[in-house]
Structure formats: structure tokens, C-alpha cells
């Protein structure tokens, strides 16, 4: 894994923090590109950050599955102090969205 996982969810605006997500494609996947939308909302449910990225699957693994790593460096210096919700959403064509969410605080 190219990051060091942590349970820390409170950061100062000068800290560096990143989100990491390993995505998988099953054998016979219809597309090798997957849109990932990262958004951050404040406690008033306002979107304070939004980014769409296309992630492309890597070469097939021995079992035929594919994977790709998604990394997002959070722009903590751009956020006012407060609590936030990071939402990562991947939408495979013809399938339900896969969503991961985590709360964090900037001091």
C-alpha cells in the first residue's frame, strides 16, 4: 500500500492528509475506466470541494481481476476550521454506485 494508514481524523490546516482507495474490476469488466467523484461537505451540507477523476484499471492479475489505486491529497489549507465529510463515489456503468465516506476535522 503506497500510504501509511491512520485513524487520525483531526488535522491542522498545515498538515498533509490524503485519501487512498484501491478499486477492483472483475473478470470481463465492460469498461476499464471508472469515474471517481470526491467531494467534501461542511456541517451546513455545502460542497466546499469537488473533483472528478477518471481511474483506469491496470493489467490483469493472475486471477483475471484488475485494480487501480486512487489517491486524493486533501487541500486542508483551503478549508476553514470545522467538521467535514469526505465522500468518494465510483459509478461503474450499469451498476450501483460504490461509496465510501469519512468525517474529519480541521483545526
Amino acid at each position: 500500500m503506497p500510504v501509511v494508514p491512520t485513524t487520525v481524523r483531526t488535522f491542522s490546516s498545515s498538515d498533509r492528509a490524503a485519501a487512498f482507495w484501491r478499486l477492483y474490476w472483475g473478470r470481463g469488466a465492460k469498461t476499464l475506466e471508472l469515474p471517481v467523484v470526491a467531494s467534501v461537505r461542511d456541517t451546513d451540507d455545502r460542497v466546499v470541494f469537488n473533483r472528478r477523476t477518471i481511474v483506469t484499471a491496470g493489467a490483469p492479475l493472475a486471477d483475471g481481476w484488475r485494480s487501480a489505486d486512487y489517491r486524493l491529497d486533501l487541500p486542508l489549507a483551503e478549508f476553514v476550521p470545522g467538521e467535514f465529510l469526505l465522500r468518494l463515489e465510483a459509478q461503474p456503468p450499469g451498476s450501483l454506485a460504490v461509496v465510501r465516506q469519512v468525517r474529519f476535522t480541521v483545526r
Side-chain angles (χ1 to χ4, degrees):
M1 186 176 299
V3 295
V4 178
T6 181
T7 58
V8 173
R9 299 292 181 257
T10 300
F11 307 97
S12 74
S13 60
S14 62
D15 286 340
R16 292 180 51 186
F20 174 81
W21 194 11
R22 181 158 289 155
L23 301 159
Y24 292 94
W25 285 254
R27 291 182 293 275
K30 294 177 181 153
T31 181
L32 299 181
E33 292 185 339
L34 186 62
V36 174
V37 176
S39 62
V40 175
R41 292 181 177 267
D42 64 14
T43 54
D44 292 324
D45 204 30
R46 286 185 301 237
V47 175
V48 296
F49 175 84
N50 195 61
R51 179 175 296 156
R52 184 177 188 273
T53 305
I54 300 296
V55 178
T56 303
L61 304 171
D63 60 2
W65 284 67
R66 296 172 184 259
S67 69
D69 293 345
Y70 171 80
R71 179 186 168 119
L72 171 69
D73 292 315
L74 293 167
L76 298 176
E78 297 177 15
F79 300 145
V80 299
E83 295 181 356
F84 299 93
L85 177 67
L86 168 64
R87 176 184 172 97
L88 301 175
E89 181 175 336
Q91 181 68 57
S95 297
L96 296 174
V98 179
V99 176
R100 300 293 181 263
Q101 298 183 122
V102 64
R103 292 195 178 281
F104 67 96
T105 302
V106 176
R107 301 249 183 244

